[in-house]
Amino acid sequence: MLVNKKLILCYIVAVSIFLNAMKLSEIPQLNKLENYNEIKNVEVERVVDYDNYDRNGKYVYVHGETIPFSGVAIKRNKSNIIGLYFYENGKAEGPAYVYYPNGKFNFDRFYKDDITQTSVEYRQNGTKFRTYKAVDGLNGIRTVYYENGKDIKTVLEVTQDYSQQGMINYILNGKLKVYNKQGQLQGIFNFKNNSMAGLSQEIYYPNGKVKYYAIAKDNNQKNPTFTQKAISYYDNGQEKENCDEVDSGMWMCKKYDKNGKFKGEVQKGGQPIETSNFWANFFMGVLNILFQ
């Protein structure tokens, strides 16, 4: 008898949810949103306040309920809608829209089975700031744009991290490509689990030729040091110095002129090439905006 009562209760809840299905256009203040015309006729099973649900394990539930939530959660700042989050059976499914108080897009994402598939973030002036596109599971490509929202500043290979509840972190896993405003490649940096240690790093001339190639000794991104191999090049692609680490902090460097003629071999202590100005002035600035 107890089992039957539970089944009846679930049925009543399911029927009531179906009967309460509504169009988004019925939500007050929705017409102030930038994409109102696109979403006004969308029907949802249920609408709840953003502060009235929690994630318990893998699923989202409305406070006091035991059935995973399906519908849309609305986040407000005073009377303004600043977020619409869609769920199906307790998981993020479909779009999630976040707005500035004036109704313009802050960002929009698209989820499949709780995992972000695409994401576009916007500056307050409406220009595109950052995008994400899934490639394989949690792995994807994140792109950062200059202030005009068109020219690409950085392209990163990343892995999504959902270990912090309510947050998506992006772990650098692969190549990070940096471009100037003219679209010229400035550097390719390699990462594994947010670390550049033991991986090759390259800086480029404006003409696309490699200027420096080196293997990072550790993950000191502000003032990198190198290990094993470090090469500097002329702007015509010819090697200038080719250095091998023969002992800890001790390098033997073969020197060449711009035509490839061997000039001799020298021993160097410390670091054989100097790239700290690039890191300090540009590279770290790129990293700062990626994860703010």
Side-chain angles (χ1 to χ4, degrees):
M1 191 67 167
L2 181 59
V3 173
N4 288 338
K5 286 184 177 179
K6 287 184 177 180
L7 289 173
I8 292 171
L9 179 60
C10 290
Y11 175 78
I12 291 172
V13 170
V15 170
S16 65
I17 290 174
F18 177 78
L19 292 175
N20 289 330
M22 60 181 292
K23 286 186 177 181
L24 292 184
S25 59
E26 300 176 46
I27 300 171
Q29 307 298 320
L30 194 90
N31 62 345
K32 294 183 178 180
L33 302 181
E34 181 177 354
N35 60 333
Y36 172 73
N37 289 328
E38 298 173 28
I39 64 175
K40 63 183 179 181
N41 292 320
V42 173
E43 292 189 354
V44 293
E45 294 183 19
R46 194 177 180 191
V47 175
V48 300
D49 186 78
Y50 184 82
D51 296 322
N52 194 35
Y53 76 94
D54 288 312
R55 181 174 291 275
N56 184 0
K58 294 183 178 180
Y59 301 99
V60 164
Y61 299 86
V62 174
H63 289 169
E65 297 183 4
T66 58
I67 298 175
F69 172 63
S70 291
V72 63
I74 300 180
K75 189 173 185 178
R76 287 184 170 86
N77 178 9
K78 297 180 180 179
S79 61
N80 298 315
I81 295 174
I82 58 172
L84 296 173
Y85 304 86
F86 292 79
Y87 292 90
E88 186 176 320
N89 297 322
K91 292 186 176 183
E93 191 74 30
Y97 303 118
V98 175
Y99 306 89
Y100 290 107
N102 63 3
K104 297 294 184 181
F105 271 129
N106 183 331
F107 68 81
D108 65 87
R109 292 192 182 121
F110 188 87
Y111 289 88
K112 184 177 180 181
D113 196 25
D114 242 11
I115 302 298
T116 301
Q117 303 302 302
T118 60
S119 175
V120 183
E121 299 175 60
Y122 301 88
R123 297 179 177 87
Q124 291 199 45
N125 64 5
T127 63
K128 190 161 50 177
F129 177 30
R130 292 182 290 212
T131 63
Y132 173 81
K133 185 175 181 179
V135 174
D136 178 26
L138 293 174
N139 299 315
I141 303 296
R142 205 172 192 208
T143 304
V144 180
Y145 296 84
Y146 281 101
E147 290 76 9
N148 63 11
K150 297 177 181 179
D151 297 326
I152 292 175
K153 188 171 191 176
T154 312
V155 178
L156 314 86
E157 296 175 354
V158 298
T159 300
Q160 294 184 78
D161 173 25
Y162 289 86
S163 60
Q164 282 185 274
Q165 187 169 319
M167 290 187 64
I168 304 174
N169 294 311
Y170 293 93
I171 299 170
L172 286 166
N173 253 331
K175 295 185 184 301
L176 185 162
K177 297 181 180 180
V178 181
Y179 300 86
N180 63 20
K181 290 183 178 181
Q182 290 71 46
Q184 298 164 326
L185 182 65
Q186 291 191 292
I188 297 180
F189 309 97
N190 288 287
F191 287 83
K192 185 175 182 180
N193 295 326
N194 273 346
S195 175
M196 59 197 299
L199 302 175
S200 62
Q201 317 299 327
E202 295 179 344
I203 294 175
Y204 289 79
Y205 286 105
N207 66 4
K209 300 290 186 180
V210 177
K211 185 175 184 179
Y212 298 117
Y213 167 92
I215 297 175
K217 186 174 184 178
D218 51 35
N219 195 35
N220 185 347
Q221 297 167 8
K222 291 184 178 180
N223 186 24
T225 56
F226 308 109
T227 185
Q228 301 176 48
K229 174 67 75 175
I231 307 173
S232 60
Y233 296 85
Y234 293 102
D235 59 6
N236 66 353
Q238 172 60 46
E239 287 185 3
K240 186 175 183 180
E241 283 191 339
N242 188 324
C243 302
D244 292 293
E245 190 175 28
V246 294
D247 200 356
S248 181
M250 189 62 64
W251 299 77
M252 291 300 297
C253 300
K254 294 178 180 178
K255 299 170 71 76
Y256 302 87
D257 67 17
K258 204 165 185 178
N259 297 315
K261 183 179 179 180
F262 180 67
K263 294 172 60 177
E265 190 172 39
V266 297
Q267 181 174 294
K268 291 187 176 183
Q271 290 295 291
I273 60 175
E274 176 57 51
T275 61
S276 59
N277 286 338
F278 182 86
W279 258 267
N281 297 331
F282 192 88
F283 181 59
M284 287 309 299
V286 169
L287 288 182
N288 287 338
I289 68 167
L290 296 179
F291 305 108
Q292 66 184 14

